[in-house]
Amino acid sequence: MNRIESVKNTKVKQWRKLHTKKEREATGTFLIEGFHLVEEALKRKEIIRELIVSEEVSLPSSWNVDDLTMTIVTTEVMKAISDTETPQGVAAICEELIPTNIDSWQKLLFVDALQDPGNLGTIIRTADAAGIDGVVLGKGTVDLYNPKVVRSSQGSIFHLAIKKANLQEMLHIYKEKGFPIYGTSLQNGVSYKEIKPSTSFVLIMGNEGSGVGQDLLAKTDQNLYIPIYGGAESLNVGIATGILLYHLRG
Amino acid sequence: MNRIESVKNTKVKQWRKLHTKKEREATGTFLIEGFHLVEEALKRKEIIRELIVSEEVSLPSSWNVDDLTMTIVTTEVMKAISDTETPQGVAAICEELIPTNIDSWQKLLFVDALQDPGNLGTIIRTADAAGIDGVVLGKGTVDLYNPKVVRSSQGSIFHLAIKKANLQEMLHIYKEKGFPIYGTSLQNGVSYKEIKPSTSFVLIMGNEGSGVGQDLLAKTDQNLYIPIYGGAESLNVGIATGILLYHLRG
């Protein structure tokens, strides 16, 4: 077991760099924190490169971590690598998650240029709950491994197959397969209530301000809206995703 | 028009105190910030006691504010009273919102001990979109006039009738009226999909961790759950509220 006491240690500097998207992409790794998230990651042990544990913390006896590389750090080091104000004392370096079962996806969620990390995390958690097979993140969408995305996904990033890809190309693939492709739009389109649930579909959710790009909306089978009955101008994009996914999956 | 240049001015000190629930309750007023929120509040002008505007800010010409008390402040004063890091330069002191149409409410949302201000704001925005007539906030729920609640409601606190009350008593009233009363529970109960939409109902949503209190669940007609099809442990309470309200209202 390794032990690190100085925040100036090279490894600590390396871990801290994982707060930036650039470093996450360069290394193909990301940092997670907290008991719940690390426990979820342990279910996919092969992606954990290293556990980082504060010296004052005891790991739950149910955790089977003997075969993992573990580094013990001081509270000060943990604080230095943490993105939260009150670190729980356990963290892990994980390898980027690569979905392997793409050909069998039946229910898909495409995310176009979504910007808020809390929204993306909640949407991933919701898609996981709704039994969606795969999420495809398009260009301009906040980085999946942003600490706030990971945190608000509440571990669902480890359950759900998620892929970064060109949405135009992906849309084309599923259109060829005959899946119904649903865009979402505040203007035009049909109420989601008119759509019958189905076993396979693609739903496209978009940016908080500007919605789904026109280039995508033009290629869908139908564009859906959620009726607004009161005085609100719109729904939060996470809420809208929940209503639509639970309706479409039936 | 008044003008305030010093952060030590008595009025500025008074405004700052409105960041605390205690002061909001003592004065029956709350502070809102930003163009969008103030614009929404202007639709219910009678509740605005005072507009506060930064000296460098021009109000939109569409705003009809000649009959309102207005105080011009320096950027420094605006920063001092603001809850945000980059104040937009416009704020208002509003009087507590008191719903007057309670007897005509048909579709109701009860909120039991919900703690996160962002969740409450989003839930109010969602209830507004879903055309709910009234929201009742029970004991232990985060204060409606918490700046984060107000912000994340995106103005819906000004559209929707919202009341703080004892949920047990309110439940009794609507039970007498013959409204179906639905609790929500992760365990037990029936899937929401088995419930038919109706023109009048009460839906009870609960605390993020512990859900709806047992005392309330015991008095409902039925307790509903949302099926979880994937690996997520639960849905975010705002997402769950959206799915249930849009289902129940039909």
Side-chain angles (χ1 to χ4, degrees), chain B residues 6 58 61 64 75 91 107 137-138 171 174 196 204 222 236:
Chain B
S6 163
S58 312
S61 56
N64 174 13
T75 311
K107 296 181 176 71
L137 306 179
L171 187 150
Y174 288 95
K196 290 219 172 71
I204 316 175
Q222 273 182 302
N236 166 279

Side-chain angles (χ1 to χ4, degrees), chain B residues 208-220:
Chain B
E208 288 86 350
S210 55
V212 177
Q214 287 302 327
D215 51 338
L216 287 165
L217 286 182
K219 291 184 178 160
T220 57

Side-chain angles (χ1 to χ4, degrees), chain A residues 17-30:
Chain A
K17 280 193 194 159
L18 290 176
H19 291 176
T20 69
K21 183 179 173 188
K22 192 179 158 194
E23 185 70 9
R24 291 193 296 266
E25 288 188 340
T27 60
T29 63
F30 63 104

Side-chain angles (χ1 to χ4, degrees), chain B residues 231-245:
Chain B
E233 283 170 22
S234 63
L235 285 159
N236 166 279
V237 64
I239 305 277
T241 306
I243 293 169
L244 293 174
L245 287 181

Side-chain angles (χ1 to χ4, degrees), chain A residues 100-155:
Chain A
T100 50
N101 60 346
I102 296 185
D103 289 340
S104 66
W105 289 358
Q106 296 289 318
K107 297 181 176 68
L108 286 94
L109 175 67
F110 285 11
V111 179
D112 180 33
L114 190 97
Q115 288 188 311
D116 180 79
N119 281 343
L120 182 59
T122 304
I123 284 172
I124 288 169
R125 178 180 170 194
T126 305
D128 182 20
I132 297 311
D133 301 306
V135 175
V136 183
L137 306 179
K139 209 176 144 188
T141 296
V142 56
D143 183 41
L144 175 60
Y145 303 114
N146 174 307
K148 281 183 197 154
V149 174
V150 174
R151 230 174 9 249
S152 50
S153 90
Q154 301 237 344

